[in-house]
Amino acid sequence: MLTIRDFLMPDLGEGLTEGEINRWLVAEGDVVVVDQPIAEITTEKAVVEVPTPFAGRVAALHGAEGQTITVGRPLISIEVAGAPDTSPSGNVLVGYGTSESAPRSRRSSPPAGAPASHTIVAMPPASPLVRRRAAELGIDLSTIAGSGPGGMVTQADLERAGGRADALVASATPPTIAGGKRRALTGVDRIAAERLTRSHHETPVAAAWLSADATRLLAVRSDLEGSIVGKVTPFALILFLCVRALERFPRLNAHFDTQSNEIVVFDSIHLGVAVQTDRGLVVAVIRDAQGKSATEISGDLSRLAGAARDGSIDMADLRGSTFTVSNFGAFGVDGGTAIINPPEAAILGVGQIATRPWVVDGAVVPRSIVDLSLVFDHRVADGGVAGGFIRHVADLIEAPDEALAQ
Amino acid sequence: MSVEVSSAASEPSSFPGPSKAAWQDVGAEGAMTAALPHDVDLSNDQLRSLYRLMALSRRVDRQAINLTRQGALGVFASSHGQEAAQVGSVFALEADDWLFPTYRETVGTFARGVDVVDLLALFSGSWHCGFDPYRYRVAPLTTPLATQALHAVGLAMAARIKHDPIVALTFFGDGAASEGDAHEALNLAAVYAAPVVFVVQNNGYAISVPFHLQTRTSSIALRAPGVGMPGIRVDGNDVISVYGAVKTAVDRARRGEGPTLIEAVTYRLEAHTTADDTTRYRSDDESTEWRARDPVEGFLRVLREGGIVDDSFLAEVEAEGEATAARMRDFLFGAPAGDPLEMFDHVYATPTAQLDAQRALLGQELLAAEES
Amino acid sequence: MELTMAGALNAALRDSMREDDTVVVYGEDVGRLGGVFRITDGLQAEMGTDRCFDTPVAESGIAGTAIGMALYGLRPVVEMQFDGFSYPALNQVISHVAKYRNRTRGRVGLPMVIRIPYGGGIGAVEHHSESPEAYYSHTAGLTVVSPGTPADAYALLRASIAFDDPVIFLEPKRRYWLKEDLDLPVSAPPIGEAVVRRAGATATVIAYGPMVTTAMEAATRAADESGWDLEVVDVRTLSPVDMDTLVASATKTGRALVVHEAARFVGYGAEIAAELSERAFGYLAAPVLRVTGFDVPYPSAKIERHFLPDADRILDAVARLLEY
C-alpha cells in the first residue's frame, strides 16, 4: 500500500521564515532513500542541503528552482510504502507545533459580543472601598462632592452624605434665630432625616386622593372575628387589599434608577408599615406580602409593631420595603402628603375610619368613611396608573368579600 | 611570538600505532616539550571498543545533522572531526567519575552511555535536559560557556572532602577558554588540588573567530603553569594519544595530586551549528586538509593494519550505527511536544501558591483551546 | 542571652554545621579571618579547613563550585563579601543555580545558600551599599530570604541551610549590631511565611531586612505623635512571598505602603503594590504607596541619609494614605 507523505519546509536556522530553492537534487519519479539530500536551500544564513526523512518515490516537487518556500509549506512529496500515518505528520517546525493547521484560540473568556452588563458611569473618583460602602448604603456617589485628593469622595464624605453636598442646595442660608433648645439628631432619627431630605430632593412627586366607604369592610371584619380566622384590625385588612391592588398595578411597587434611567419593578411586595414608637416613626417591613393571607399580614403587623415599640425589632425587619403604607388614622388624621420612603416609588396614606354623611341610593346616610392619599414618583407612574391604583384599593375596600374570601 | 593560522597542530600526524601515544608536556616554568612517546596499555577488545564508540558517535552526529535539516531538531552542534578528542577522553574515566560537557559533546556523552534520544532533548526542544545526571554521572549539556568548569571543580572539591576517589572531567573549547569562569575554574582547581581534568578541545574556531584572534598565545596548554598545574598538548585527532594523556591526568587526580589542563588540538569539520555558514569565514582548502587526517578513518587504518578488526566486526558496527540512527529518526522526527503544564512542576521542590495559580491559568487556556 | 544579629548568624552557622556534617562554609576571608563582619568567626578553628575555608577572589567561582558541591551531596553555604560584589556570580546564579532543578526535571536540586550582606546606611564607599533583591526575586527558581531581627536571622539562616532549594540569603548589614535577648536555638519559622510584627488598624507598613527596624520606629512615633495605630508586616521571605498575610493586612486596614532601600522604579515594592491592588482591590481606601530610595546609583556616604527611607518618610506616606 502506498501513501503520499509531505515533507514540509523546515526552519533551517533558528527562527527563519522561508528559504529559496537553490537547486533540486532529485526529480519527480526518482527513488530516494532516507536522509538522501533532495534540495539545496538558500536561507538568510547559509546554503543548506536538505535530506528527505522519507524513503520512496518522489511524487511532487513543490516549487521551481529560484522559488521561495515559506517554512511549514510542503517542499516535496514522497510516495512511501505503508499505511497513512495518522500521527501528526512531522514536527518539522521545532517550536511551531505539529500538524494542526489553524492556531486555536485559547481565550478563556468569550470576546465581548453583547453589551457589557456592568454600567460604566461618569462617577466622581472614589476608592474601591468607598464605592463598595456607597453601594451598601444605597448612596448615589454622583450626588456627593469629594473632598479627597483630586476631588475623590472619601469615607468622611460618605458619612456626611445625605444630599448635603448636592449642588442643587440653595446657596442662600436661612436666617438664624438665637436661643431655643437644641436636640441633636442621632441614630435612627438622623438616618431617617437624611433619607427624607434626599427623597424630597430627588423625586418629582404627585399625589392622588379619594374617600372610600368602609362600612362593608367593617362588617366583614366583625364576621371574621367570630370565626377561626380571629382578630384582625381594619388596617390590616386594608393592607391586604393594598397588596391585591399592587398586583394589578405593579408599576407602583417599583423604583426609578436614575443612573440607568430605568424603572425597576420589584419581584416581591415587601410592605412597609410606618409604626409610631417612643423614639419616633419607624417603618417595619412585612416581607413577601403577596403570598400572605389577611390573617398572616395582621399577625405580622402586630408582631412588628410590638417589637418596634419595645425596641426589640430586628434590623432585617426595618429594611427592604418596596411600598409603604402610612396609618394616618392612628393620629386621627384623614390624609396628607407623605414622603416616599426611598428607594420606593409610592406611599399610601390611610386615614381614620370615621362616620360621615354619604350618599347611598340617592339618600344621605351615615357611613364609615376612610380617606386614602397616594403620593407617587411621577417618573414611574402617571395619573392614569396612580388613579387606577387608588381607585382599585377603594373598590376593594367598598366590596371586599371576594378578595377576603381567599 | 608567532601566531599560527587556525590549525595550530604540532606536526602532520601519522598515527603512531595502536599502543603508541605521544604528547607534549608543559612544565612548571612554562616550557613545552616536543611530542614525547608514551606506551598505552589497551587490549584489543578495548581498541575495538574505542573504534565502535567513535564510529557509532559519528553516525549519531550525522543523523542529528540530517534531523536538524528536516526540522526535527531546532539546532545541533556537530562534533564531526572531534570524535577522537571526545571518545578518547571519556574512555579514560571510571564508572563513578563525573563528566561535565558543553553543548558540543553529543559524541562524548553518547560514548559515556547516555541514551541518544534523551541526549538530544535539548536540541529537539522537548526539555532543556532529557536525562538524569545521577544515572550517568553526566551533568546536563551546558550552553553558557565555561560555566560548567566551575561545577566540575566544585564537585571534585566535594569528593575530596568526602574522601571519595573520583575524578571530574570537563570539556570546553578554545573560545570558552577566554571566559572568566575558565580562568577561575583552573585557578580554584589548582588551589584546592581538586581532582579535575580539564580537556580543552581547540578545534580552531569559536563560531567564526579563529584561534589566533581568540588569544595571543599559540597554545592554551601554556596557561597551565600560570595557574599552577601540569599542562599537556596532544593531537586531538589521535584517539590513542588522547586516551593516554587523559588517562595520565585522571590517574594523577585520583591519586590526590591535583588537576591537569589538556589541550586536544583538533578541527571542527562542520559549522558551529546547523544555523551557521562556514563559507563566510574559512576556506574549503583548510577543511580539506583536516579531512585528510580524519580521526575515525585514521584509527580504522591503524586497526586494520594491526589485524585488530575484521570485516564482520565492521559490519556489526555499521549495522548498530544504522539501528541507532533509525531509532533516532523514529523517536525524534515528528515527536510531539510534552505537557506544557510541566513547566510549573520542577521550579521548586514544592510548588508555590503563585505557581499553582499560574498553572491553573495555563490550564484554562489549554482547555479553551481544546474546546474552540 | 543578648545577641547581636551578627552573633545570631554566627550561631546559626555553627549549629547547622554541628548538626549536619554535609554543611560546608566558604568564601573570601571567611576562614582564618572569620569574615569581614565576623559572621563566620571561629568556624574554621572548630570545624577544620575542610568544612570552613577561604577562597581566592573569584565570586563566579564561589557560586559555580557551590553548584558542583551541591550536585555531589554537600550543603554549601557560601558568602559574597558585599552586595556590590555579588554581580560577577549573577551568571552562575541566574543561568544555573536557579535553573538546575527545572532543567533536570526535579532530579537535581541544589541545597545551597548564598549569603550576601546588603543595604546601606553604613557610611561605606561605592558598591558596598547595594540592594539587589529585585534581581534575585525576579529569577524563577530562587528562594530569597531577608531577616529583619536577630531572632529571625538565626532561625531563617538555619531554615535556609536545611532547605532543599537554593536560597539567596540577604543580610541587612546595617543591622548586624542590633541586639536581642535570645534563647537559642530559636525555632525556625517556615521559609515562605511573613509575620505581623505589630498589629494595628490605621494603615499597613510592609517592610523587610533593614527597613523592619525603621518601620517599627515609625510605628512607635506614629502612636505618640499622631495617635495612629500602624500595623507592621515583616515579609521575611521575599520570594516566594506570603501574599496571603499581606493581603489580609491590607484588607483589614484598607491602606498600605511598602518600604525598601532599593530604588523605586521596578523595585520589589512595585510587585507587592500590584499584587495588593489586584487581590485587595475592593478593600483599599487608598492606592498602595511605595517608600523607597531614589532612582539613582547609591550615593556617597555624606549624603546617603537623604537617599535612605527613614521614619519621617514613612510617616509622610502614611499621612498621604490618610488623605483618601
Side-chain angles (χ1 to χ4, degrees), chain B residues 338-361:
Chain B
D339 181 3
L341 293 176
E342 198 184 353
M343 75 173 79
F344 301 101
D345 292 347
H346 311 295
V347 181
Y348 295 102
T350 309
T352 62
Q354 287 85 349
L355 282 178
D356 285 341
Q358 293 181 8
R359 191 181 208 279
L361 180 63

Side-chain angles (χ1 to χ4, degrees), chain B residues 283-298:
Chain B
S283 73
D284 280 341
D285 294 340
E286 190 183 87
S287 9
T288 308
E289 203 189 299
W290 277 89
R291 278 183 215 278
R293 293 150 61 197
D294 186 289
V296 180
E297 286 168 21

Side-chain angles (χ1 to χ4, degrees), chain A residues 127-130 132 147-149 152-155, chain C residues 254-255 280-286 320 323-324:
Chain A
S127 77
L129 186 61
V130 165
R132 174 192 284 261
S147 66
M152 286 188 80
V153 176
T154 66
Q155 282 174 286
Chain C
R255 291 162 214 275
F281 188 68
Y283 299 92
L284 293 176
R320 276 177 57 208
E323 278 174 24
Y324 290 86

Side-chain angles (χ1 to χ4, degrees), chain B residues 7-19:
Chain B
S7 55
S10 44
E11 53 215 352
S13 100
S14 49
F15 298 109
S19 61

Side-chain angles (χ1 to χ4, degrees), chain B residues 17-367:
Chain B
S19 61
K20 296 278 184 241
W23 62 78
Q24 297 169 274
D25 289 304
V26 184
E29 303 308 307
M32 187 183 288
T33 65
L36 302 171
H38 297 263
D39 279 330
V40 161
D41 186 14
L42 283 170
S43 69
N44 284 353
D45 273 341
Q46 283 177 304
L47 291 171
R48 280 189 285 270
S49 211
L50 260 180
Y51 175 76
R52 174 180 156 273
L53 287 173
M54 287 171 75
L56 285 180
S57 46
R58 172 160 289 188
R59 185 66 187 89
V60 163
D61 191 274
R62 168 78 11 216
Q63 189 62 53
I65 292 173
N66 284 333
L67 285 166
T68 311
R69 295 199 181 141
Q70 291 159 355
L73 302 180
V75 74
F76 178 68
S78 167
S79 305
H80 187 74
Q82 296 177 226
E83 293 85 354
Q86 293 181 26
V87 175
S89 297
V90 307
F91 205 73
L93 296 175
E94 301 291 324
D96 285 350
D97 294 334
W98 273 80
L99 179 64
F100 285 83
T102 72
Y103 56 84
R104 195 173 298 287
E105 271 79 59
T106 308
V107 160
T109 44
F110 173 74
R112 183 84 176 128
V114 180
D115 176 270
V116 66
V117 170
D118 293 344
L119 193 43
L120 291 169
L122 171 64
F123 299 113
S124 71
S126 66
W127 201 261
H128 298 315
C129 175
F131 59 90
D132 178 358
Y134 287 121
R135 179 173 171 188
Y136 301 103
R137 293 175 190 256
V138 175
L141 302 179
T142 322
T143 315
L145 295 182
T147 53
Q148 80 287 354
L150 284 169
H151 308 165
V153 173
L155 186 135
M157 286 164 68
R160 191 139 198 267
I161 288 169
K162 295 179 90 168
H163 307 291
D164 292 339
I166 62 136
V167 174
L169 187 148
T170 182
F171 288 106
F172 54 92
D174 43 287
S178 295
E179 288 277 3
D181 276 7
H183 169 69
E184 291 193 32
L186 290 171
N187 189 48
L188 286 166
V191 164
Y192 297 113
V196 189
V197 177
F198 299 95
V199 177
V200 179
Q201 290 172 80
N202 182 349
N203 66 10
Y205 286 91
I207 306 189
S208 67
V209 176
F211 184 64
H212 73 269
L213 293 180
Q214 193 66 243
T215 173
R216 283 296 192 185
T217 60
S218 60
S219 160
I220 291 171
L222 291 171
R223 296 184 202 188
V227 287
M229 71 174 72
I232 290 176
R233 184 172 151 95
V234 65
D235 179 355
N237 281 16
D238 172 3
V239 67
I240 301 298
S241 294
V242 170
Y243 169 78
V246 174
K247 185 81 168 64
T248 305
V250 165
D251 289 345
R252 176 186 299 141
R254 210 184 303 285
R255 286 194 303 270
E257 291 168 25
T260 306
L261 171 61
I262 299 176
E263 179 187 20
V265 182
T266 177
Y267 189 77
R268 195 194 74 205
L269 282 176
E270 287 284 337
H272 166 70
T273 64
T274 43
D276 178 36
D277 177 7
T278 57
T279 64
R280 288 172 171 264
Y281 55 82
R282 70 187 190 190
S283 73
D284 280 341
D285 294 340
E286 190 183 87
S287 9
T288 308
E289 203 189 299
W290 277 89
R291 278 183 215 278
R293 293 150 61 197
D294 186 289
V296 180
E297 286 168 21
F299 188 48
L300 178 58
R301 256 198 316 274
V302 165
L303 293 178
R304 274 197 196 275
E305 280 166 20
I308 297 165
V309 297
D310 61 17
D311 284 342
S312 88
F313 168 75
L314 292 176
E316 260 175 48
V317 169
E318 193 182 326
E320 194 184 348
E322 288 314 307
T324 308
R327 181 160 172 267
M328 286 167 71
R329 289 192 299 269
D330 287 344
F331 277 89
L332 293 166
F333 190 80
D339 181 3
L341 293 176
E342 198 184 353
M343 75 173 79
F344 301 101
D345 292 347
H346 311 295
V347 181
Y348 295 102
T350 309
T352 62
Q354 287 85 349
L355 282 178
D356 285 341
Q358 293 181 8
R359 191 181 208 279
L361 180 63
L362 180 57
Q364 273 180 341
E365 285 182 3
L366 293 171
L367 220 56

Side-chain angles (χ1 to χ4, degrees), chain C residues 17 24-25 30-31 40 43-44 47-54:
Chain C
M17 290 176 86
V24 172
V25 169
V30 303
T40 52
L43 297 179
Q44 185 175 77
M47 308 284 172
T49 53
D50 269 0
R51 304 275 315 273
C52 178
F53 55 89
D54 293 316

